[in-house]
Amino acid sequence: MFIDARTLPNDTVVDSDICIIGGGAAGITLAKEFTGKSYRVCILESGGLELDSTTQSLADGKNVGLPYFALTRASTRYLGGNTNRWGSWCTPFDDMDFEYRPWVPYSGWPFTKRELVPYYERAQAICKLRSLDYYDPTRVVEDIGNPEVQVLPLLGNKIVTKMWQFHLPAMSFGQAYKSEIERANNIDTYLHATVVDIEANNTVQAVRRVRVASLSGNKFWVASRIFILAMGGIENPRLLLASNKIQSAGLGNQNDLVGRFFMEHPHLYGSGKILFTNPEHYPVLYTTESQGRYSAQAGLCPSRELQEQEKILNYIGCLTPSSDVWAKTSMSDEFSEHISAIVNDFGYLANRVVRKLSNKPNYVRPRRMVLDIITKSEQAPNPDSRITLSRERDRLGVNRAQLNWRLTSLDKRTILRMQQAIGMELGRADLGRLKIELSEDDSWPVPLSEGGPFAGGWHQMGTTRMHIDPKQGVVDQNCRIHGISNLYIAGSSVFPTGGFANPTLTLLALTIRLADHLNAKYFPT
Amino acid sequence: MKRRNLLVLFSLSAIIPGLTSSWLYRGGSASSDKEIEGKLLKLFSEMKSPKVIGAEYLRSFPGQVDSKVLLARICSSCEGGARSLTQMDARALREWIHERQRKDFEEGRIIKLQGWILSATEVQLCALATLHS
């Protein structure tokens, strides 16, 4: 049932067994897992069924670090959350993303990828994707069955091909699962219900109830056996920090970890150009064109060996026909035109075509294929990259979030080293030449908002990270906040590391795992 | 050559780039150098672009502003030495260069010019074009 929280009388107390705070991808997935059970569930969603600017303004905050999207746009406050505007990019994390890597400080999850595999399979179904084996590029190419669609013949011990799957048009969870949740007898969804405080008991070992407010001015309480925060990588830590009546540092923050380790996937829309010289291997599978045609797209990643050897993070580069208007017929700068000229004198075309054509009177130099590289890179966990509270408060009296996004030299070096490795592999495989369009120092290019290539990926991770040791993590391996018996977190804020992969599929897998854990622990059949 | 002198030479070549390969190459005559150089430069379809790229390369590697040094580097991996290149026809020579380019990338002999990741062989060929009168 859907309930408009604006109609509830002041100080109403809603009783529940499980209270899910947030109606986005994680919240809706939890609700689906709990549907039809014998216990009562309530979802508290700040927004309604559609975007509303007044509600959205509650997400406004301050950005004091690297250029980032306005916080009013970083999260989406209506049923479905950020799935109302995502692109359906889905791929699981790599095995190595879960491992401790000595060159990546704070790396390592409390379990391996193997633990999540059965949950990834279930997450695939929720996202209406194909099976997990469709992340094997060989399998994808076989299925497509078009000889023009190939995996690039690169050396697997350096550069590997990884796949995304898509369900297009991208699915809003709010629209796709609204009816199912509305019909569920044991689930009440309160819309226009913003949690403004979490009230713990005096010893802060359990949550008693949460205070909920609507923009109409009324306030009520929700008491529950279990509470799950599912509001995303900015709002989860914000609410914990703001719930500071008993523990002044905020709930779960006894070791000053809440809000720290904010991670994104630094995106560069044009970190380099590829002059592709081998038409037999044009990388259509690696371009955005492939999404619509095949519901799949490939990218270029470092192998495990390369990551270990070069001590770099994970990364993916995908390709797009160059946005540079000159690249259709020429390169954008004179020096690049000269490179383009000489490469074809010795490469594929020289050996197969030029010899035949160059003696003919009407010979025209073959057209080049120029591609831009779109980089999406892992960010190293950095405790100084963080969410804190601003002194400003929103209309409901909650301190706004303040984001200080920071990157390290390892983040930049990863991208530079990968560009070089891809360039070397393209040359070795006689596919073309790569131009790095990135400075060699630690600075980052002009942000997208100012016409440059640099931006985040709309992926907010790590701010309530997972670790078995409460001195190193906010939640334990079951996503329960250390020290608080009945408060859990679902979503990408629990990620200890972020890989290169878009977080949705992995956060859904973790969420399903959490649902199974709660069912087994609290409601065994 | 005495072993001791060879060791001294290799030590010096670490300080003076190109010394070793150019000394070892000195077996060729001036006319065979010209012949090899001519054959290599004929592989380019035009000379303007190689000269520009070669000039950029030589600005970064002034120690190689010498055709002999460049030829020695380009020919260093050729079985039978530089002389065998003079016996190749244009097609065989182009294929040899092509394979050398691939090996450069495989073995890390790359040169970065204005962001471009290039094979050492291809830029050294361009440098040869730059020095060619």
Side-chain angles (χ1 to χ4, degrees), chain A residues 275 331 333 335-336 338-339 341-342 345-348 350-351 355 365 419-420 423-424 427-428 430 433-436 440, chain B residues 43-46 48-50 52-53 56 91 94 97-98 101-102 105-106 108 110 112-118 122 125:
Chain A
L275 174 62
M331 299 298 289
D333 63 275
F335 190 80
S336 297
H338 292 305
I339 296 289
I342 66 112
D345 280 340
F346 299 109
Y348 166 86
N351 286 333
R355 278 183 290 129
R365 188 179 292 283
Q419 304 279 78
Q420 182 171 301
M424 288 170 68
R428 185 207 62 78
D430 197 22
R433 297 292 182 273
L434 183 147
K435 180 185 182 189
I436 299 176
E440 300 262 332
Chain B
L43 298 177
F44 287 118
S45 54
E46 48 87 13
K48 181 183 174 188
S49 293
V52 168
I53 295 166
E56 179 73 15
R91 176 180 171 171
R94 192 185 299 278
I97 292 288
H98 182 215
Q101 281 174 304
R102 281 198 339 96
F105 287 112
E106 190 171 313
I110 56 164
K112 282 187 213 170
L113 293 180
Q114 295 195 20
W116 284 98
I117 297 175
L118 304 168
E122 65 198 359
L125 279 170

Short mmCIF file of all heavy atoms in Angstrom, two decimals, chain A residues 275 331 333 335-336 338-339 341-342 345-348 350-351 355 365 419-420 423-424 427-428 430 433-436 440, chain B residues 43-46 48-50 52-53 56 91 94 97-98 101-102 105-106 108 110 112-118 122 125:
data_model
loop_
_atom_site.label_atom_id
_atom_site.label_comp_id
_atom_site.label_asym_id
_atom_site.label_seq_id
_atom_site.Cartn_x
_atom_site.Cartn_y
_atom_site.Cartn_z
N LEU A 275 44.03 6.53 -33.28
CA LEU A 275 44.00 6.52 -34.73
C LEU A 275 43.95 5.06 -35.12
O LEU A 275 44.94 4.34 -35.02
CB LEU A 275 45.26 7.20 -35.27
CG LEU A 275 45.48 7.16 -36.77
CD1 LEU A 275 44.35 7.88 -37.49
CD2 LEU A 275 46.82 7.76 -37.13
N MET A 331 42.94 14.90 -38.49
CA MET A 331 43.16 15.06 -37.06
C MET A 331 43.05 16.54 -36.69
O MET A 331 43.12 17.40 -37.54
CB MET A 331 44.54 14.53 -36.69
CG MET A 331 44.72 13.06 -37.01
SD MET A 331 43.58 11.99 -36.09
CE MET A 331 44.24 12.14 -34.45
N ASP A 333 44.98 18.49 -34.93
CA ASP A 333 46.15 19.36 -34.92
C ASP A 333 47.13 18.87 -35.99
O ASP A 333 47.10 17.71 -36.41
CB ASP A 333 46.79 19.36 -33.52
CG ASP A 333 47.31 18.00 -33.11
OD1 ASP A 333 46.52 17.20 -32.60
OD2 ASP A 333 48.51 17.74 -33.35
N PHE A 335 50.35 18.29 -36.10
CA PHE A 335 51.30 17.21 -35.80
C PHE A 335 50.60 15.85 -35.90
O PHE A 335 51.14 14.89 -36.43
CB PHE A 335 51.90 17.39 -34.40
CG PHE A 335 53.05 16.46 -34.14
CD1 PHE A 335 54.31 16.74 -34.64
CD2 PHE A 335 52.87 15.29 -33.42
CE1 PHE A 335 55.38 15.89 -34.41
CE2 PHE A 335 53.92 14.42 -33.19
CZ PHE A 335 55.19 14.72 -33.68
N SER A 336 49.37 15.80 -35.40
CA SER A 336 48.62 14.54 -35.47
C SER A 336 48.35 14.15 -36.91
O SER A 336 48.31 12.97 -37.25
CB SER A 336 47.31 14.67 -34.70
OG SER A 336 47.58 14.88 -33.33
N HIS A 338 50.38 14.62 -39.34
CA HIS A 338 51.64 14.02 -39.81
C HIS A 338 51.78 12.59 -39.30
O HIS A 338 52.22 11.68 -40.02
CB HIS A 338 52.84 14.87 -39.37
CG HIS A 338 52.91 16.21 -40.05
ND1 HIS A 338 52.91 16.34 -41.42
CD2 HIS A 338 52.96 17.47 -39.55
CE1 HIS A 338 52.96 17.64 -41.73
NE2 HIS A 338 52.99 18.34 -40.62
N ILE A 339 51.38 12.36 -38.06
CA ILE A 339 51.42 11.00 -37.50
C ILE A 339 50.52 10.10 -38.33
O ILE A 339 50.88 8.99 -38.72
CB ILE A 339 50.94 10.98 -36.03
CG1 ILE A 339 51.88 11.78 -35.13
CG2 ILE A 339 50.79 9.55 -35.54
CD1 ILE A 339 53.23 11.16 -34.91
N ALA A 341 49.72 10.38 -41.32
CA ALA A 341 50.29 10.13 -42.66
C ALA A 341 51.32 9.01 -42.60
O ALA A 341 51.30 8.09 -43.41
CB ALA A 341 50.92 11.41 -43.20
N ILE A 342 52.23 9.04 -41.65
CA ILE A 342 53.33 8.06 -41.69
C ILE A 342 52.90 6.69 -41.17
O ILE A 342 53.44 5.67 -41.59
CB ILE A 342 54.57 8.57 -40.91
CG1 ILE A 342 54.27 8.68 -39.40
CG2 ILE A 342 55.11 9.87 -41.47
CD1 ILE A 342 55.06 7.67 -38.61
N ASP A 345 51.93 4.48 -43.84
CA ASP A 345 52.98 4.08 -44.79
C ASP A 345 53.55 2.71 -44.45
O ASP A 345 54.11 2.04 -45.32
CB ASP A 345 54.10 5.11 -44.81
CG ASP A 345 53.74 6.33 -45.65
OD1 ASP A 345 52.82 6.20 -46.49
OD2 ASP A 345 54.36 7.38 -45.47
N PHE A 346 53.42 2.27 -43.18
CA PHE A 346 54.03 1.00 -42.79
C PHE A 346 53.04 -0.02 -42.26
O PHE A 346 53.34 -1.16 -42.13
CB PHE A 346 55.09 1.23 -41.71
CG PHE A 346 56.20 2.10 -42.17
CD1 PHE A 346 56.34 3.38 -41.67
CD2 PHE A 346 57.09 1.67 -43.13
CE1 PHE A 346 57.35 4.20 -42.11
CE2 PHE A 346 58.10 2.49 -43.58
CZ PHE A 346 58.24 3.77 -43.07
N GLY A 347 51.82 0.47 -41.96
CA GLY A 347 50.91 -0.42 -41.25
C GLY A 347 50.10 -1.30 -42.17
O GLY A 347 50.45 -1.56 -43.30
N TYR A 348 48.95 -1.72 -41.60
CA TYR A 348 48.05 -2.64 -42.29
C TYR A 348 47.75 -2.17 -43.71
O TYR A 348 47.85 -2.91 -44.66
CB TYR A 348 46.74 -2.74 -41.47
CG TYR A 348 45.63 -3.38 -42.21
CD1 TYR A 348 45.49 -4.76 -42.22
CD2 TYR A 348 44.71 -2.62 -42.93
CE1 TYR A 348 44.47 -5.36 -42.92
CE2 TYR A 348 43.69 -3.22 -43.64
CZ TYR A 348 43.58 -4.59 -43.63
OH TYR A 348 42.57 -5.16 -44.33
N ALA A 350 49.29 -0.16 -45.61
CA ALA A 350 50.44 -0.15 -46.51
C ALA A 350 50.65 -1.53 -47.10
O ALA A 350 50.88 -1.69 -48.29
CB ALA A 350 51.68 0.29 -45.76
N ASN A 351 50.53 -2.52 -46.26
CA ASN A 351 50.82 -3.84 -46.75
C ASN A 351 49.75 -4.43 -47.65
O ASN A 351 50.02 -5.31 -48.45
CB ASN A 351 51.03 -4.81 -45.58
CG ASN A 351 52.37 -4.57 -44.91
OD1 ASN A 351 53.30 -4.09 -45.56
ND2 ASN A 351 52.48 -4.87 -43.63
N ARG A 355 50.02 -0.65 -51.59
CA ARG A 355 50.82 -1.23 -52.66
C ARG A 355 50.03 -1.39 -53.94
O ARG A 355 50.56 -1.24 -55.03
CB ARG A 355 51.38 -2.59 -52.24
CG ARG A 355 52.64 -2.48 -51.39
CD ARG A 355 53.21 -3.81 -51.05
NE ARG A 355 52.34 -4.53 -50.11
CZ ARG A 355 51.93 -5.77 -50.31
NH1 ARG A 355 52.26 -6.43 -51.40
NH2 ARG A 355 51.15 -6.36 -49.43
N ARG A 365 44.58 8.89 -50.39
CA ARG A 365 44.97 8.26 -49.12
C ARG A 365 43.70 7.83 -48.36
O ARG A 365 42.77 8.59 -48.23
CB ARG A 365 45.75 9.25 -48.26
CG ARG A 365 46.37 8.63 -47.02
CD ARG A 365 47.16 9.66 -46.24
NE ARG A 365 48.35 10.09 -46.95
CZ ARG A 365 49.46 9.36 -47.02
NH1 ARG A 365 49.55 8.19 -46.44
NH2 ARG A 365 50.51 9.83 -47.68
N GLN A 419 46.71 4.28 -20.37
CA GLN A 419 46.71 4.84 -21.72
C GLN A 419 47.94 4.35 -22.47
O GLN A 419 47.88 3.96 -23.64
CB GLN A 419 46.73 6.37 -21.68
CG GLN A 419 45.60 7.01 -20.89
CD GLN A 419 44.33 7.09 -21.67
OE1 GLN A 419 43.62 6.10 -21.83
NE2 GLN A 419 44.03 8.24 -22.19
N GLN A 420 49.06 4.36 -21.78
CA GLN A 420 50.30 3.92 -22.41
C GLN A 420 50.22 2.44 -22.76
O GLN A 420 50.61 2.02 -23.85
CB GLN A 420 51.50 4.19 -21.50
CG GLN A 420 52.83 3.79 -22.14
CD GLN A 420 54.01 4.26 -21.33
OE1 GLN A 420 54.17 5.46 -21.09
NE2 GLN A 420 54.83 3.34 -20.89
N GLY A 423 48.08 1.95 -25.72
CA GLY A 423 48.80 2.41 -26.90
C GLY A 423 49.81 1.39 -27.38
O GLY A 423 49.95 1.12 -28.58
N MET A 424 50.52 0.79 -26.45
CA MET A 424 51.54 -0.20 -26.82
C MET A 424 50.87 -1.45 -27.40
O MET A 424 51.35 -2.03 -28.37
CB MET A 424 52.39 -0.55 -25.60
CG MET A 424 53.34 0.58 -25.22
SD MET A 424 54.15 0.35 -23.63
CE MET A 424 55.22 -1.03 -23.97
N GLY A 427 49.64 -0.84 -30.93
CA GLY A 427 50.76 -0.86 -31.87
C GLY A 427 51.23 -2.27 -32.13
O GLY A 427 51.48 -2.67 -33.27
N ARG A 428 51.34 -3.06 -31.07
CA ARG A 428 51.82 -4.44 -31.21
C ARG A 428 50.86 -5.25 -32.08
O ARG A 428 51.27 -6.08 -32.87
CB ARG A 428 51.96 -5.09 -29.83
CG ARG A 428 52.56 -6.49 -29.87
CD ARG A 428 52.09 -7.32 -28.69
NE ARG A 428 50.66 -7.50 -28.68
CZ ARG A 428 50.00 -8.37 -29.44
NH1 ARG A 428 50.65 -9.16 -30.28
NH2 ARG A 428 48.68 -8.46 -29.36
N ASP A 430 49.03 -4.11 -34.37
CA ASP A 430 48.86 -3.47 -35.69
C ASP A 430 47.45 -2.94 -35.87
O ASP A 430 46.85 -3.07 -36.95
CB ASP A 430 49.20 -4.49 -36.80
CG ASP A 430 49.45 -3.81 -38.14
OD1 ASP A 430 49.77 -2.60 -38.14
OD2 ASP A 430 49.31 -4.47 -39.18
N ARG A 433 47.40 3.74 -33.46
CA ARG A 433 48.27 4.50 -32.57
C ARG A 433 47.39 5.30 -31.61
O ARG A 433 46.30 5.72 -31.95
CB ARG A 433 49.17 5.48 -33.34
CG ARG A 433 50.15 4.82 -34.30
CD ARG A 433 51.23 4.05 -33.57
NE ARG A 433 52.19 3.47 -34.50
CZ ARG A 433 52.04 2.28 -35.10
NH1 ARG A 433 50.99 1.52 -34.83
NH2 ARG A 433 52.96 1.85 -35.94
N LEU A 434 47.94 5.53 -30.41
CA LEU A 434 47.18 6.23 -29.38
C LEU A 434 47.89 7.51 -29.00
O LEU A 434 49.12 7.54 -28.86
CB LEU A 434 47.02 5.32 -28.15
CG LEU A 434 46.19 5.86 -26.99
CD1 LEU A 434 45.47 4.70 -26.29
CD2 LEU A 434 47.02 6.61 -25.97
N LYS A 435 47.10 8.54 -28.79
CA LYS A 435 47.63 9.82 -28.30
C LYS A 435 47.06 10.06 -26.91
O LYS A 435 45.83 10.07 -26.74
CB LYS A 435 47.21 10.95 -29.24
CG LYS A 435 47.72 12.31 -28.80
CD LYS A 435 47.19 13.42 -29.67
CE LYS A 435 47.76 14.76 -29.22
NZ LYS A 435 47.13 15.90 -29.88
N ILE A 436 47.94 10.25 -25.94
CA ILE A 436 47.50 10.57 -24.59
C ILE A 436 47.19 12.06 -24.54
O ILE A 436 48.03 12.89 -24.89
CB ILE A 436 48.57 10.22 -23.55
CG1 ILE A 436 48.90 8.73 -23.59
CG2 ILE A 436 48.12 10.62 -22.15
CD1 ILE A 436 50.03 8.31 -22.66
N GLU A 440 50.99 14.90 -17.44
CA GLU A 440 51.70 13.86 -16.70
C GLU A 440 51.77 14.16 -15.21
O GLU A 440 52.23 13.33 -14.43
CB GLU A 440 53.14 13.74 -17.24
CG GLU A 440 53.22 13.38 -18.71
CD GLU A 440 53.45 11.89 -18.96
OE1 GLU A 440 54.05 11.22 -18.10
OE2 GLU A 440 53.00 11.39 -20.01
N LEU B 43 60.31 4.21 -48.65
CA LEU B 43 59.10 3.58 -48.12
C LEU B 43 58.04 4.62 -47.76
O LEU B 43 56.85 4.31 -47.70
CB LEU B 43 59.43 2.74 -46.87
CG LEU B 43 60.40 1.58 -47.09
CD1 LEU B 43 60.68 0.88 -45.76
CD2 LEU B 43 59.83 0.58 -48.08
N PHE B 44 58.49 5.85 -47.52
CA PHE B 44 57.52 6.90 -47.21
C PHE B 44 56.85 7.34 -48.50
O PHE B 44 57.49 7.51 -49.53
CB PHE B 44 58.21 8.12 -46.58
CG PHE B 44 58.68 7.88 -45.17
CD1 PHE B 44 60.03 7.96 -44.84
CD2 PHE B 44 57.77 7.61 -44.15
CE1 PHE B 44 60.46 7.76 -43.54
CE2 PHE B 44 58.19 7.41 -42.86
CZ PHE B 44 59.54 7.47 -42.55
N SER B 45 55.54 7.58 -48.42
CA SER B 45 54.83 8.02 -49.63
C SER B 45 55.09 9.50 -49.90
O SER B 45 54.94 9.95 -51.03
CB SER B 45 53.33 7.74 -49.49
OG SER B 45 52.85 8.31 -48.29
N GLU B 46 55.44 10.24 -48.88
CA GLU B 46 55.85 11.63 -49.06
C GLU B 46 56.80 11.97 -47.92
O GLU B 46 56.88 11.26 -46.94
CB GLU B 46 54.64 12.58 -49.09
CG GLU B 46 53.61 12.41 -48.00
CD GLU B 46 53.93 13.18 -46.73
OE1 GLU B 46 54.80 14.05 -46.73
OE2 GLU B 46 53.30 12.89 -45.70
N LYS B 48 57.20 15.18 -46.30
CA LYS B 48 56.93 16.33 -45.42
C LYS B 48 56.63 15.85 -43.99
O LYS B 48 57.21 16.34 -43.02
CB LYS B 48 55.76 17.13 -45.98
CG LYS B 48 55.42 18.35 -45.12
CD LYS B 48 54.21 19.08 -45.67
CE LYS B 48 53.81 20.20 -44.71
NZ LYS B 48 52.54 20.81 -45.07
N SER B 49 55.72 14.88 -43.88
CA SER B 49 55.32 14.42 -42.55
C SER B 49 56.47 13.76 -41.80
O SER B 49 56.71 14.08 -40.63
CB SER B 49 54.12 13.47 -42.67
OG SER B 49 52.98 14.18 -43.11
N PRO B 50 57.23 12.85 -42.43
CA PRO B 50 58.37 12.27 -41.71
C PRO B 50 59.36 13.33 -41.23
O PRO B 50 59.89 13.23 -40.13
CB PRO B 50 59.02 11.35 -42.75
CG PRO B 50 57.94 11.02 -43.70
CD PRO B 50 57.04 12.22 -43.75
N VAL B 52 58.79 16.42 -40.33
CA VAL B 52 58.24 17.14 -39.17
C VAL B 52 58.38 16.27 -37.91
O VAL B 52 58.80 16.73 -36.85
CB VAL B 52 56.77 17.51 -39.43
CG1 VAL B 52 56.09 17.99 -38.15
CG2 VAL B 52 56.66 18.58 -40.52
N ILE B 53 57.99 15.01 -38.05
CA ILE B 53 58.05 14.10 -36.89
C ILE B 53 59.50 13.88 -36.48
O ILE B 53 59.84 13.88 -35.28
CB ILE B 53 57.36 12.76 -37.23
CG1 ILE B 53 55.87 13.01 -37.47
CG2 ILE B 53 57.56 11.75 -36.12
CD1 ILE B 53 55.17 11.85 -38.13
N GLU B 56 60.90 16.75 -34.51
CA GLU B 56 60.40 16.72 -33.13
C GLU B 56 61.20 15.71 -32.31
O GLU B 56 61.58 15.97 -31.17
CB GLU B 56 58.91 16.37 -33.15
CG GLU B 56 58.26 16.28 -31.78
CD GLU B 56 58.05 17.63 -31.12
OE1 GLU B 56 58.15 18.66 -31.81
OE2 GLU B 56 57.81 17.64 -29.90
N ARG B 91 59.09 -4.46 -51.00
CA ARG B 91 58.03 -5.17 -50.26
C ARG B 91 58.62 -5.85 -49.02
O ARG B 91 58.07 -5.74 -47.92
CB ARG B 91 57.38 -6.19 -51.18
CG ARG B 91 56.34 -7.02 -50.48
CD ARG B 91 55.72 -8.01 -51.44
NE ARG B 91 54.87 -8.93 -50.70
CZ ARG B 91 54.06 -9.80 -51.26
NH1 ARG B 91 53.97 -9.85 -52.58
NH2 ARG B 91 53.33 -10.62 -50.53
N ARG B 94 59.60 -3.26 -46.43
CA ARG B 94 58.43 -2.70 -45.73
C ARG B 94 57.94 -3.69 -44.68
O ARG B 94 57.60 -3.32 -43.56
CB ARG B 94 57.32 -2.39 -46.75
CG ARG B 94 56.18 -1.55 -46.19
CD ARG B 94 55.07 -1.39 -47.23
NE ARG B 94 55.51 -0.72 -48.43
CZ ARG B 94 55.60 0.60 -48.56
NH1 ARG B 94 55.27 1.39 -47.57
NH2 ARG B 94 56.02 1.13 -49.69
N ILE B 97 60.30 -3.70 -41.71
CA ILE B 97 60.06 -2.51 -40.88
C ILE B 97 58.78 -2.69 -40.06
O ILE B 97 58.72 -2.39 -38.86
CB ILE B 97 59.95 -1.24 -41.75
CG1 ILE B 97 61.29 -0.90 -42.38
CG2 ILE B 97 59.42 -0.07 -40.93
CD1 ILE B 97 62.32 -0.36 -41.42
N HIS B 98 57.77 -3.20 -40.70
CA HIS B 98 56.47 -3.40 -40.04
C HIS B 98 56.63 -4.32 -38.84
O HIS B 98 56.12 -4.06 -37.75
CB HIS B 98 55.49 -3.97 -41.07
CG HIS B 98 54.12 -4.16 -40.51
ND1 HIS B 98 53.30 -5.20 -40.87
CD2 HIS B 98 53.41 -3.43 -39.60
CE1 HIS B 98 52.17 -5.12 -40.21
NE2 HIS B 98 52.20 -4.06 -39.44
N GLN B 101 58.42 -2.60 -36.06
CA GLN B 101 57.52 -1.71 -35.32
C GLN B 101 56.76 -2.48 -34.26
O GLN B 101 56.64 -2.07 -33.11
CB GLN B 101 56.49 -1.09 -36.28
CG GLN B 101 56.96 0.07 -37.12
CD GLN B 101 55.89 0.46 -38.12
OE1 GLN B 101 55.42 -0.36 -38.91
NE2 GLN B 101 55.49 1.71 -38.10
N ARG B 102 56.21 -3.62 -34.69
CA ARG B 102 55.42 -4.43 -33.76
C ARG B 102 56.27 -4.87 -32.57
O ARG B 102 55.83 -4.82 -31.41
CB ARG B 102 54.88 -5.68 -34.45
CG ARG B 102 53.66 -5.47 -35.33
CD ARG B 102 52.93 -6.77 -35.62
NE ARG B 102 53.75 -7.94 -35.43
CZ ARG B 102 53.76 -8.67 -34.32
NH1 ARG B 102 53.02 -8.35 -33.31
NH2 ARG B 102 54.53 -9.74 -34.25
N PHE B 105 56.80 -2.16 -29.94
CA PHE B 105 55.69 -2.02 -28.99
C PHE B 105 55.68 -3.18 -28.00
O PHE B 105 55.42 -3.00 -26.82
CB PHE B 105 54.36 -1.96 -29.74
CG PHE B 105 54.12 -0.65 -30.44
CD1 PHE B 105 54.09 -0.58 -31.83
CD2 PHE B 105 53.94 0.52 -29.72
CE1 PHE B 105 53.88 0.62 -32.48
CE2 PHE B 105 53.72 1.73 -30.37
CZ PHE B 105 53.70 1.78 -31.75
N GLU B 106 55.97 -4.35 -28.50
CA GLU B 106 55.93 -5.54 -27.64
C GLU B 106 57.02 -5.47 -26.57
O GLU B 106 56.82 -5.88 -25.44
CB GLU B 106 56.15 -6.78 -28.51
CG GLU B 106 55.89 -8.10 -27.80
CD GLU B 106 55.91 -9.26 -28.78
OE1 GLU B 106 55.28 -9.15 -29.84
OE2 GLU B 106 56.57 -10.25 -28.47
N GLY B 108 58.62 -2.70 -25.55
CA GLY B 108 58.68 -1.45 -24.79
C GLY B 108 59.58 -0.38 -25.36
O GLY B 108 59.90 0.59 -24.69
N ILE B 110 59.35 2.35 -27.02
CA ILE B 110 58.41 3.35 -27.50
C ILE B 110 58.97 4.75 -27.27
O ILE B 110 59.80 4.96 -26.39
CB ILE B 110 57.03 3.23 -26.82
CG1 ILE B 110 57.17 3.33 -25.30
CG2 ILE B 110 56.36 1.91 -27.20
CD1 ILE B 110 55.87 3.59 -24.59
N LYS B 112 57.45 8.79 -26.96
CA LYS B 112 56.25 9.63 -26.88
C LYS B 112 56.58 10.99 -27.49
O LYS B 112 57.48 11.68 -27.03
CB LYS B 112 55.83 9.84 -25.43
CG LYS B 112 55.11 8.66 -24.82
CD LYS B 112 54.60 9.02 -23.44
CE LYS B 112 54.61 7.81 -22.53
NZ LYS B 112 54.36 8.12 -21.14
N LEU B 113 55.82 11.36 -28.50
CA LEU B 113 55.99 12.68 -29.11
C LEU B 113 54.65 13.39 -29.10
O LEU B 113 53.69 12.89 -29.70
CB LEU B 113 56.49 12.56 -30.56
CG LEU B 113 57.89 12.01 -30.79
CD1 LEU B 113 58.21 11.98 -32.28
CD2 LEU B 113 58.93 12.86 -30.07
N GLN B 114 54.59 14.49 -28.40
CA GLN B 114 53.34 15.27 -28.28
C GLN B 114 52.18 14.35 -27.92
O GLN B 114 51.08 14.47 -28.45
CB GLN B 114 53.05 16.04 -29.58
CG GLN B 114 54.10 17.10 -29.87
CD GLN B 114 53.66 18.11 -30.92
OE1 GLN B 114 52.48 18.28 -31.18
NE2 GLN B 114 54.64 18.78 -31.51
N GLY B 115 52.43 13.43 -26.98
CA GLY B 115 51.37 12.54 -26.49
C GLY B 115 51.21 11.26 -27.29
O GLY B 115 50.64 10.29 -26.81
N TRP B 116 51.70 11.23 -28.51
CA TRP B 116 51.57 10.02 -29.35
C TRP B 116 52.56 8.95 -28.90
O TRP B 116 53.73 9.23 -28.66
CB TRP B 116 51.83 10.35 -30.83
CG TRP B 116 50.68 11.06 -31.47
CD1 TRP B 116 50.57 12.40 -31.67
CD2 TRP B 116 49.47 10.47 -31.95
NE1 TRP B 116 49.36 12.69 -32.27
CE2 TRP B 116 48.67 11.52 -32.45
CE3 TRP B 116 48.98 9.17 -32.02
CZ2 TRP B 116 47.40 11.30 -33.01
CZ3 TRP B 116 47.73 8.94 -32.58
CH2 TRP B 116 46.96 10.01 -33.06
N ILE B 117 52.06 7.73 -28.77
CA ILE B 117 52.91 6.59 -28.41
C ILE B 117 53.32 5.90 -29.70
O ILE B 117 52.48 5.34 -30.42
CB ILE B 117 52.14 5.63 -27.49
CG1 ILE B 117 51.80 6.37 -26.20
CG2 ILE B 117 52.96 4.40 -27.18
CD1 ILE B 117 50.94 5.60 -25.25
N LEU B 118 54.60 5.96 -29.99
CA LEU B 118 55.10 5.52 -31.30
C LEU B 118 56.23 4.51 -31.13
O LEU B 118 56.90 4.45 -30.09
CB LEU B 118 55.63 6.74 -32.08
CG LEU B 118 54.61 7.87 -32.26
CD1 LEU B 118 55.30 9.13 -32.76
CD2 LEU B 118 53.52 7.46 -33.23
N GLU B 122 59.89 3.68 -36.12
CA GLU B 122 59.20 4.59 -37.04
C GLU B 122 59.64 6.04 -36.83
O GLU B 122 59.80 6.79 -37.80
CB GLU B 122 57.67 4.45 -36.97
CG GLU B 122 57.00 4.83 -35.68
CD GLU B 122 55.58 4.24 -35.58
OE1 GLU B 122 55.13 3.55 -36.51
OE2 GLU B 122 54.93 4.46 -34.54
N LEU B 125 63.16 6.40 -38.31
CA LEU B 125 63.08 6.52 -39.77
C LEU B 125 62.72 7.95 -40.16
O LEU B 125 63.27 8.51 -41.12
CB LEU B 125 62.03 5.55 -40.32
CG LEU B 125 62.48 4.10 -40.49
CD1 LEU B 125 61.28 3.22 -40.79
CD2 LEU B 125 63.52 3.97 -41.60
#
